[in-house]
PDB file of all heavy atoms in Angstrom:
ATOM      1  N   LYS A 178       6.620  15.389 -10.558  1.00 96.00           N
ATOM      2  CA  LYS A 178       7.534  16.361  -9.983  1.00 96.00           C
ATOM      3  C   LYS A 178       7.112  16.595  -8.537  1.00 96.00           C
ATOM      4  O   LYS A 178       5.908  16.682  -8.250  1.00 96.00           O
ATOM      5  CB  LYS A 178       7.498  17.668 -10.777  1.00 96.00           C
ATOM      6  CG  LYS A 178       7.970  17.508 -12.217  1.00 96.00           C
ATOM      7  CD  LYS A 178       7.913  18.836 -12.970  1.00 96.00           C
ATOM      8  CE  LYS A 178       8.406  18.667 -14.404  1.00 96.00           C
ATOM      9  NZ  LYS A 178       8.365  19.952 -15.162  1.00 96.00           N
ATOM     10  N   VAL A 179       8.065  16.703  -7.640  1.00 96.00           N
ATOM     11  CA  VAL A 179       7.742  16.740  -6.221  1.00 96.00           C
ATOM     12  C   VAL A 179       8.292  18.001  -5.562  1.00 96.00           C
ATOM     13  O   VAL A 179       9.282  18.589  -6.011  1.00 96.00           O
ATOM     14  CB  VAL A 179       8.271  15.497  -5.486  1.00 96.00           C
ATOM     15  CG1 VAL A 179       7.639  14.225  -6.029  1.00 96.00           C
ATOM     16  CG2 VAL A 179       9.787  15.416  -5.571  1.00 96.00           C
ATOM     17  N   LEU A 180       7.630  18.365  -4.482  1.00 97.00           N
ATOM     18  CA  LEU A 180       8.046  19.483  -3.648  1.00 97.00           C
ATOM     19  C   LEU A 180       8.556  18.916  -2.327  1.00 97.00           C
ATOM     20  O   LEU A 180       7.886  18.080  -1.718  1.00 97.00           O
ATOM     21  CB  LEU A 180       6.850  20.401  -3.404  1.00 97.00           C
ATOM     22  CG  LEU A 180       7.073  21.714  -2.681  1.00 97.00           C
ATOM     23  CD1 LEU A 180       7.922  22.661  -3.522  1.00 97.00           C
ATOM     24  CD2 LEU A 180       5.723  22.360  -2.353  1.00 97.00           C
ATOM     25  N   ILE A 181       9.733  19.322  -1.895  1.00 97.00           N
ATOM     26  CA  ILE A 181      10.265  18.840  -0.624  1.00 97.00           C
ATOM     27  C   ILE A 181       9.668  19.669   0.512  1.00 97.00           C
ATOM     28  O   ILE A 181       9.730  20.904   0.505  1.00 97.00           O
ATOM     29  CB  ILE A 181      11.800  18.912  -0.600  1.00 97.00           C
ATOM     30  CG1 ILE A 181      12.385  17.918  -1.620  1.00 97.00           C
ATOM     31  CG2 ILE A 181      12.338  18.612   0.800  1.00 97.00           C
ATOM     32  CD1 ILE A 181      13.890  17.920  -1.690  1.00 97.00           C
ATOM     33  N   ALA A 182       9.070  18.980   1.480  1.00 95.00           N
ATOM     34  CA  ALA A 182       8.386  19.653   2.584  1.00 95.00           C
ATOM     35  C   ALA A 182       9.384  20.369   3.487  1.00 95.00           C
ATOM     36  O   ALA A 182      10.408  19.796   3.868  1.00 95.00           O
ATOM     37  CB  ALA A 182       7.589  18.632   3.390  1.00 95.00           C
ATOM     38  N   ASP A 183       9.059  21.619   3.820  1.00 94.00           N
ATOM     39  CA  ASP A 183       9.902  22.342   4.775  1.00 94.00           C
ATOM     40  C   ASP A 183       9.089  22.912   5.941  1.00 94.00           C
ATOM     41  O   ASP A 183       9.614  23.622   6.790  1.00 94.00           O
ATOM     42  CB  ASP A 183      10.684  23.469   4.082  1.00 94.00           C
ATOM     43  CG  ASP A 183       9.780  24.480   3.393  1.00 94.00           C
ATOM     44  OD1 ASP A 183       8.532  24.376   3.540  1.00 94.00           O
ATOM     45  OD2 ASP A 183      10.312  25.374   2.710  1.00 94.00           O
ATOM     46  N   HIS A 184       7.780  22.583   5.958  1.00 95.00           N
ATOM     47  CA  HIS A 184       6.943  23.022   7.078  1.00 95.00           C
ATOM     48  C   HIS A 184       6.007  21.911   7.558  1.00 95.00           C
ATOM     49  O   HIS A 184       6.062  21.519   8.714  1.00 95.00           O
ATOM     50  CB  HIS A 184       6.115  24.249   6.685  1.00 95.00           C
ATOM     51  CG  HIS A 184       5.124  24.651   7.739  1.00 95.00           C
ATOM     52  ND1 HIS A 184       5.504  25.180   8.951  1.00 95.00           N
ATOM     53  CD2 HIS A 184       3.758  24.573   7.770  1.00 95.00           C
ATOM     54  CE1 HIS A 184       4.427  25.422   9.687  1.00 95.00           C
ATOM     55  NE2 HIS A 184       3.364  25.058   8.992  1.00 95.00           N
ATOM     56  N   TYR A 185       5.170  21.403   6.657  1.00 93.00           N
ATOM     57  CA  TYR A 185       4.222  20.360   7.043  1.00 93.00           C
ATOM     58  C   TYR A 185       4.937  19.025   7.216  1.00 93.00           C
ATOM     59  O   TYR A 185       5.949  18.751   6.572  1.00 93.00           O
ATOM     60  CB  TYR A 185       3.114  20.221   6.003  1.00 93.00           C
ATOM     61  CG  TYR A 185       2.210  21.432   5.954  1.00 93.00           C
ATOM     62  CD1 TYR A 185       2.340  22.366   4.938  1.00 93.00           C
ATOM     63  CD2 TYR A 185       1.244  21.644   6.931  1.00 93.00           C
ATOM     64  CE1 TYR A 185       1.524  23.490   4.887  1.00 93.00           C
ATOM     65  CE2 TYR A 185       0.420  22.757   6.894  1.00 93.00           C
ATOM     66  CZ  TYR A 185       0.572  23.681   5.874  1.00 93.00           C
ATOM     67  OH  TYR A 185      -0.231  24.787   5.840  1.00 93.00           O
ATOM     68  N   SER A 186       4.378  18.189   8.114  1.00 92.00           N
ATOM     69  CA  SER A 186       4.968  16.884   8.400  1.00 92.00           C
ATOM     70  C   SER A 186       3.943  15.783   8.181  1.00 92.00           C
ATOM     71  O   SER A 186       2.749  15.972   8.453  1.00 92.00           O
ATOM     72  CB  SER A 186       5.470  16.820   9.842  1.00 92.00           C
ATOM     73  OG  SER A 186       6.452  17.792  10.080  1.00 92.00           O
ATOM     74  N   ARG A 187       4.413  14.665   7.679  1.00 91.00           N
ATOM     75  CA  ARG A 187       3.552  13.493   7.535  1.00 91.00           C
ATOM     76  C   ARG A 187       3.386  12.788   8.876  1.00 91.00           C
ATOM     77  O   ARG A 187       2.314  12.293   9.212  1.00 91.00           O
ATOM     78  CB  ARG A 187       4.151  12.533   6.511  1.00 91.00           C
ATOM     79  CG  ARG A 187       3.359  11.240   6.353  1.00 91.00           C
ATOM     80  CD  ARG A 187       4.122  10.167   5.606  1.00 91.00           C
ATOM     81  NE  ARG A 187       3.419   8.898   5.749  1.00 91.00           N
ATOM     82  CZ  ARG A 187       3.605   8.060   6.739  1.00 91.00           C
ATOM     83  NH1 ARG A 187       4.470   8.340   7.694  1.00 91.00           N
ATOM     84  NH2 ARG A 187       2.920   6.932   6.793  1.00 91.00           N
ATOM     85  N   ALA A 188       4.451  12.711   9.664  1.00 90.00           N
ATOM     86  CA  ALA A 188       4.421  11.952  10.906  1.00 90.00           C
ATOM     87  C   ALA A 188       5.466  12.513  11.862  1.00 90.00           C
ATOM     88  O   ALA A 188       6.376  13.232  11.455  1.00 90.00           O
ATOM     89  CB  ALA A 188       4.705  10.470  10.624  1.00 90.00           C
ATOM     90  N   ALA A 189       5.315  12.149  13.140  1.00 91.00           N
ATOM     91  CA  ALA A 189       6.239  12.639  14.165  1.00 91.00           C
ATOM     92  C   ALA A 189       6.686  11.492  15.056  1.00 91.00           C
ATOM     93  O   ALA A 189       6.003  10.464  15.168  1.00 91.00           O
ATOM     94  CB  ALA A 189       5.562  13.717  15.010  1.00 91.00           C
ATOM     95  N   ASN A 190       7.834  11.653  15.690  1.00 90.00           N
ATOM     96  CA  ASN A 190       8.284  10.678  16.674  1.00 90.00           C
ATOM     97  C   ASN A 190       7.215  10.490  17.742  1.00 90.00           C
ATOM     98  O   ASN A 190       6.646  11.460  18.247  1.00 90.00           O
ATOM     99  CB  ASN A 190       9.583  11.136  17.334  1.00 90.00           C
ATOM    100  CG  ASN A 190      10.780  10.951  16.428  1.00 90.00           C
ATOM    101  OD1 ASN A 190      10.812  10.038  15.600  1.00 90.00           O
ATOM    102  ND2 ASN A 190      11.767  11.814  16.551  1.00 90.00           N
ATOM    103  N   GLY A 191       6.933   9.235  18.069  1.00 92.00           N
ATOM    104  CA  GLY A 191       5.910   8.939  19.065  1.00 92.00           C
ATOM    105  C   GLY A 191       4.509   8.911  18.505  1.00 92.00           C
ATOM    106  O   GLY A 191       3.555   8.598  19.222  1.00 92.00           O
ATOM    107  N   GLY A 192       4.364   9.253  17.213  1.00 92.00           N
ATOM    108  CA  GLY A 192       3.047   9.292  16.598  1.00 92.00           C
ATOM    109  C   GLY A 192       2.668   7.979  15.931  1.00 92.00           C
ATOM    110  O   GLY A 192       3.142   6.911  16.318  1.00 92.00           O
ATOM    111  N   ILE A 193       1.822   8.075  14.888  1.00 93.00           N
ATOM    112  CA  ILE A 193       1.272   6.871  14.253  1.00 93.00           C
ATOM    113  C   ILE A 193       1.739   6.733  12.806  1.00 93.00           C
ATOM    114  O   ILE A 193       1.099   6.066  12.003  1.00 93.00           O
ATOM    115  CB  ILE A 193      -0.264   6.852  14.333  1.00 93.00           C
ATOM    116  CG1 ILE A 193      -0.878   8.088  13.641  1.00 93.00           C
ATOM    117  CG2 ILE A 193      -0.723   6.774  15.779  1.00 93.00           C
ATOM    118  CD1 ILE A 193      -2.392   8.024  13.511  1.00 93.00           C
TER     119      ILE A 193
END
Side-chain angles (χ1 to χ4, degrees):
K178 297 180 179 180
V179 298
L180 186 67
I181 293 179
D183 58 6
H184 173 69
Y185 292 103
S186 300
R187 177 194 168 272
N190 284 330
I193 59 172

